[in-house]
Amino acid sequence: MNTRSLIAFLAALSFMVFSCGKEDGNQKAIQKNDTEFTWRSELKITDIPDTPIKGLLGGKPFEFKYVNFEQWRGSGDNVINFCEGVPNNPCGYVEGGRSIHLIHKAGSLDTNEVLKASFDKSLDGYIAYYDTTGASSESGIGSIPWNCALQITSMTDKTVKGKIIICFKDDKKSYISGSFEALRCYN
């Protein structure tokens, strides 16, 4: 084998080796976004999986049937409600079923990111809580430490799309994670 052939062969071999490594690295990054989420005490925005929203509430699977995004005119509050029950009217009150709520008191939620990385961090104006009784009671709001990573990707007059993780520091390690599309409600 002459020198030119040897150099060409080594160059081709090097290209194939380095190309394979880059492809594997990209594949791993893609797989990371589609992996199953597990409860965590520390969060990053990049932890939010690109999977349909699901969760665990009080040790039992949490099945979403209704998600809405409420903008309250008087108080200026913005609320995202994740519920197992479905209201009788669009944007109505959900009676019965378990629910998880994220509230921004007197503040907007726009197409951006919100991060409360750990249970001991504070996030002014934000509250998260869950209801396991189906009574939609706000008693005990803020009594369970929580963390959150939220990314709102689009907002129209009728829908809000995004991805979220909320973990609660309870004995059963309750959480929700994944992508959602919420009905936008003006109250």
Side-chain angles (χ1 to χ4, degrees), residues 88-151:
N88 293 329
N89 301 311
C91 290
Y93 177 73
V94 177
E95 292 187 39
R98 302 176 305 157
S99 57
I100 294 177
H101 311 271
L102 177 65
I103 303 169
H104 188 198
K105 291 281 198 184
S108 66
L109 282 171
D110 298 317
T111 52
N112 60 16
E113 297 175 350
V114 174
L115 180 63
K116 183 178 183 289
S118 65
F119 299 128
D120 60 349
K121 300 274 183 191
S122 65
L123 191 57
D124 287 341
Y126 285 88
I127 299 168
Y129 72 99
Y130 62 79
D131 176 12
T132 57
T133 65
S136 295
S137 166
E138 292 186 18
S139 63
I141 287 179
S143 62
I144 299 173
W146 57 279
N147 60 20
C148 177
L150 170 67
Q151 184 177 47

